[in-house]
Amino acid sequence: MPLPYLCNIKRNEMYNLKNKIIMTALVLSVVFALTSVVDAVSGNNVKDFAYNSEKQESGVETQTVYKVKEGKYLERHLQYNYTHDEKGRVSAKEILKWNQDNSRFEKLYCLNFSYTDNEVNVEYVAWNSKAGDYTNVKAKAVYQMNENGMNYMAYNWNEKDNSWNLVTEHNATNWNSALLANR
C-alpha cells in the first residue's frame, strides 16, 4: 500500500513549508489584529458594517466599509487600499476615513509591510496633510522566526531622540517541541 504524498516530503521541505504557512498566517493575523484594534478603539460593532471589495487594474485591491443604518441604509465609513508585492503578499494597507463635510475619503494612515526570509516588519505611518505624504512614522512591529519559535517586538518612534524605543517583546516557543504527545 503506497504512502500518501505528504509522507514522502523530506523533513527539510516540510519545515520550509511550515515556515511559509506560519509566515502567511502571521501576516494575515497582523492585518486582522491592527484592523480590529482600530475598530475597537472607534467603538465599531461588526454587525453594524457592510463591506465591498474591488480589484483595480493597477493591482490595488480596495475594500470599502459602510456603516449600516437602521438595518437597511449604507453610509460610507472607511476605505482600505491594499498593495501587493511580486509574491502576492500585502506590501501596504492604506486606511482612509469618509469625510461627510466634503463627501470624500481622506487619508489617515498606512501600514507598510516588509519581508525577509525569517522576518516581517509592519510600520505604522500617519498621513501628514501639510507634506501631502505618509511621513509621520509612529510605530512598528517586528515578527522574527527562529529555530526556537517566534519573537514579536513592538516599537514607538521617539522624535526627540530620532530612534525606535522598544515598547514590548514577546517570545513564542516552538510549538512542536512543546507538545507532550509523541508523533
Side-chain angles (χ1 to χ4, degrees), residues 21-53:
I21 291 170
I22 290 171
M23 287 297 273
T24 301
L26 178 65
V27 169
L28 292 174
S29 297
V30 168
V31 170
F32 178 74
L34 289 172
T35 302
S36 297
V37 167
V38 170
D39 288 345
V41 168
S42 57
N44 296 340
N45 190 345
V46 175
K47 69 178 180 164
D48 296 331
F49 293 91
Y51 301 86
N52 183 46
S53 295

Side-chain angles (χ1 to χ4, degrees), residues 8 14 22 24 28 33-34 44 81 83 102 131-132 150 163 176:
N8 294 328
M14 191 65 159
I22 290 171
T24 301
L28 292 174
L34 289 172
N44 296 340
N81 295 324
T83 306
N102 61 18
M150 183 178 67
S163 64
N176 288 337

Side-chain angles (χ1 to χ4, degrees), residues 30-94:
V30 168
V31 170
F32 178 74
L34 289 172
T35 302
S36 297
V37 167
V38 170
D39 288 345
V41 168
S42 57
N44 296 340
N45 190 345
V46 175
K47 69 178 180 164
D48 296 331
F49 293 91
Y51 301 86
N52 183 46
S53 295
E54 299 173 7
K55 182 121 180 166
Q56 299 169 0
E57 288 182 24
S58 63
V60 174
E61 182 183 340
T62 300
Q63 184 179 51
T64 305
V65 180
Y66 298 90
K67 285 185 180 180
V68 178
K69 299 289 185 176
E70 300 175 23
K72 58 184 174 181
Y73 301 107
L74 299 179
E75 182 180 283
R76 289 181 182 101
H77 179 57
L78 294 172
Q79 186 176 67
Y80 304 133
N81 295 324
Y82 297 94
T83 306
H84 299 83
D85 66 10
E86 66 282 350
K87 293 184 178 179
R89 302 174 297 195
V90 174
S91 59
K93 178 182 178 182
E94 181 182 41

Side-chain angles (χ1 to χ4, degrees), residues 2 9 12 23 46 91 100 147 157 159 166-167 170 174 182:
I9 295 176
N12 218 10
M23 287 297 273
V46 175
S91 59
Q100 288 187 343
E147 64 279 353
W157 181 250
E159 290 184 30
L166 181 64
V167 176
H170 298 286
N174 189 337
N182 291 327

Side-chain angles (χ1 to χ4, degrees), residues 112-139:
N112 294 316
F113 297 83
S114 60
Y115 306 87
T116 64
D117 289 338
N118 66 338
E119 190 172 281
V120 177
N121 289 288
V122 183
E123 188 177 70
Y124 171 85
V125 186
W127 178 254
N128 183 333
S129 58
K130 289 181 183 175
D133 200 0
Y134 291 105
T135 56
N136 195 3
V137 178
K138 295 287 187 183

Side-chain angles (χ1 to χ4, degrees), residues 7-18 176 183:
C7 293
N8 294 328
I9 295 176
K10 294 178 185 174
R11 183 170 175 78
N12 218 10
E13 290 174 4
M14 191 65 159
Y15 180 75
N16 288 337
L17 179 63
K18 188 189 314 182
N176 288 337
R183 291 184 187 182

